[in-house]
Amino acid sequence: MENTILTNKQTNKQTNKQTAFILYLRAFSVLSILLCHLVQANPSSYVQMTAQFFNIGVELFIIISGFCFGLQGKIDDWKKWYGKRVRRIYIPYELFLLVLFALYFITGNKINIVNWISCVIGIQGATVGVLGADHTWFITAILLCYVITPVLSEISEKLKEQNIYLAVGAGVIPIMLSFIPAIVFHTIGSKICLYVVAFILGKKYREGYRFEKRNFLMYMILFALALGIRMAGRSLFDGSRIYECIIVGYTQCAAAFCIMAIFAVLFYDVGNNKIINRICENSFEVYLYHYMFVVGPVSLMHLTGSWLVNSICVLIVTWGVAVIMRKLAKGLFMGK
């Protein structure tokens, strides 16, 4: 979600062209998240089932963030880096919570102080307990990813060719986390592991690795295979930790990486697009605010008897609020 892409100064112009696909992937991720929550409000159970695919947007956002920071290379000034991340995440996030709290007060919704405090700090984990902010569990995951990034940068620079072992280690850890009774450890921990793998991939990309056109069919087949395994796993192990954590977790991540590779091939060297840039610029705010208009205290999904009309209203209002709040955060606190 964070709009941080491409900062290698020596090869900046060329890198911008070769990584422009990230912008298109980010826009796709935003759309996926919106659809994931909108289809759950559809009266058809078959349409609701598609949410299982659209929620891949979360994994894509994690991958994008890790990949982009891997592209940047070693972080020399940790203090400056952390300060920038805190401003970019916490300022829009706290403004969002302020707006949501005001809506709670106006509509007379019950306020659970403990849940709200954990939300404000950003340590809510997998169970949020604040209507309209249930999706903000992602904040805990991404903040922890940012905490380890400078250290990860140092380690990856020292390991050099051995980074593959770091990636493999991160890829195996979610299996162990799936056996811990408290599901929050797997929910958050698996996203951190995904971030680490994406970071290493970004570093390899900076060093010259590319998603080749000749492998496009393979990416498509692997994507279909991941979906097939997930469907088969659901019929055999639905409701178990094997399915919820291991099968869903790994197939979801594999599918997300395949989507990234597909976009890298399709949009390689395409260049920037003003509309896509605009969407990406406000992507974090769109993520923050859309949910309150879907299931929150000011849900718009019951305005009319048409799911499609209601969904369009949600998209329009979300975009308007996101643009305004982005400008407010940037103008008041973040600088130009």
Side-chain angles (χ1 to χ4, degrees):
M1 273 173 281
E2 186 159 354
N3 196 20
T4 51
I5 302 177
L6 332 171
T7 59
N8 188 320
K9 294 181 180 179
Q10 294 180 343
T11 59
N12 191 52
K13 185 175 181 180
Q14 183 66 14
T15 304
N16 280 340
K17 293 180 67 177
Q18 295 176 349
T19 55
F21 74 89
I22 289 294
L23 294 171
Y24 295 89
L25 183 62
R26 189 188 301 279
F28 176 79
S29 302
V30 173
L31 178 62
S32 295
I33 291 295
L34 290 171
L35 289 175
C36 174
H37 294 137
L38 287 172
V39 297
Q40 292 179 48
N42 190 282
S44 171
S45 59
Y46 294 104
V47 175
Q48 292 175 18
M49 289 174 60
T50 61
Q52 296 185 51
F53 169 73
F54 291 126
N55 68 4
I56 202 169
V58 171
E59 280 75 17
L60 288 174
F61 274 129
I62 292 285
I63 288 174
I64 290 169
S65 193
F67 182 84
C68 290
F69 286 124
L71 276 176
Q72 291 183 354
K74 186 178 179 181
I75 299 172
D76 295 318
D77 191 336
W78 289 25
K79 183 178 179 181
K80 182 178 180 181
W81 190 90
Y82 278 129
K84 187 175 181 180
R85 300 283 74 72
V86 168
R87 289 195 303 272
R88 181 64 186 102
I89 292 294
Y90 266 113
I91 291 171
Y93 175 59
E94 299 302 337
L95 283 175
F96 157 72
L97 290 179
L98 185 62
V99 172
L100 185 61
F101 187 83
L103 291 174
Y104 260 65
F105 183 78
I106 294 171
T107 57
N109 275 270
K110 184 178 179 181
I111 296 175
N112 185 306
I113 299 299
V114 174
N115 290 346
W116 270 93
I117 291 176
S118 65
C119 258
V120 170
I121 299 173
I123 58 172
Q124 58 267 50
T127 304
V128 180
V130 176
L131 183 65
D134 292 305
H135 62 308
T136 62
W137 66 267
F138 178 88
I139 298 296
T140 303
I142 201 63
L143 286 175
L144 288 174
C145 288
Y146 289 167
V147 166
I148 69 169
T149 298
V151 177
L152 180 59
S153 175
E154 290 282 347
I155 294 174
S156 65
E157 289 297 322
K158 292 180 180 179
L159 287 178
K160 297 186 183 299
E161 296 301 321
Q162 283 71 47
N163 272 300
I164 183 64
Y165 299 115
L166 179 61
V168 171
V172 172
I173 289 176
I175 295 179
M176 295 182 285
L177 294 176
S178 67
F179 292 100
I180 299 177
I183 192 67
V184 64
F185 288 98
H186 181 271
T187 301
I188 303 299
S190 62
K191 299 301 180 290
I192 296 173
C193 291
L194 176 62
Y195 179 89
V196 172
V197 174
F199 184 95
I200 300 303
L201 180 59
K203 186 175 184 298
K204 297 298 293 182
Y205 200 91
R206 176 164 53 91
E207 296 170 351
Y209 173 80
R210 293 293 180 269
F211 299 100
E212 303 289 343
K213 289 184 179 180
R214 61 186 177 182
N215 296 327
F216 182 79
L217 181 60
M218 180 186 71
Y219 301 144
M220 294 292 291
I221 292 174
L222 289 175
F223 175 74
L225 182 62
L227 294 184
I229 292 174
R230 179 169 177 175
M231 292 174 64
R234 183 178 182 180
S235 64
L236 296 172
F237 304 104
D238 190 20
S240 68
R241 279 293 183 98
I242 293 177
Y243 175 73
E244 298 294 340
C245 295
I246 298 177
I247 296 178
V248 171
Y250 281 100
T251 56
Q252 194 84 341
C253 291
F257 275 115
C258 287
I259 291 174
M260 180 184 192
I262 291 169
F263 270 72
V265 172
L266 293 177
F267 296 99
Y268 181 83
D269 207 20
V270 169
N272 294 332
N273 178 283
K274 289 183 179 181
I275 296 177
I276 298 298
N277 288 346
R278 184 70 167 163
I279 293 173
C280 292
E281 185 180 70
N282 297 283
S283 60
F284 185 41
E285 283 72 18
V286 168
Y287 178 84
L288 287 175
Y289 288 93
H290 81 281
Y291 201 66
M292 70 164 64
F293 300 119
V294 179
V295 299
V298 285
S299 173
L300 303 178
M301 295 308 296
H302 305 289
L303 281 177
T304 72
S306 170
W307 172 84
L308 180 59
V309 172
N310 295 339
S311 297
I312 292 174
C313 290
V314 168
L315 295 177
I316 293 173
V317 173
T318 296
W319 179 254
V321 172
V323 170
I324 293 171
M325 298 308 293
R326 169 65 173 166
K327 288 183 177 180
L328 178 61
K330 188 175 181 181
L332 292 178
F333 306 103
M334 298 167 62
K336 296 181 180 180

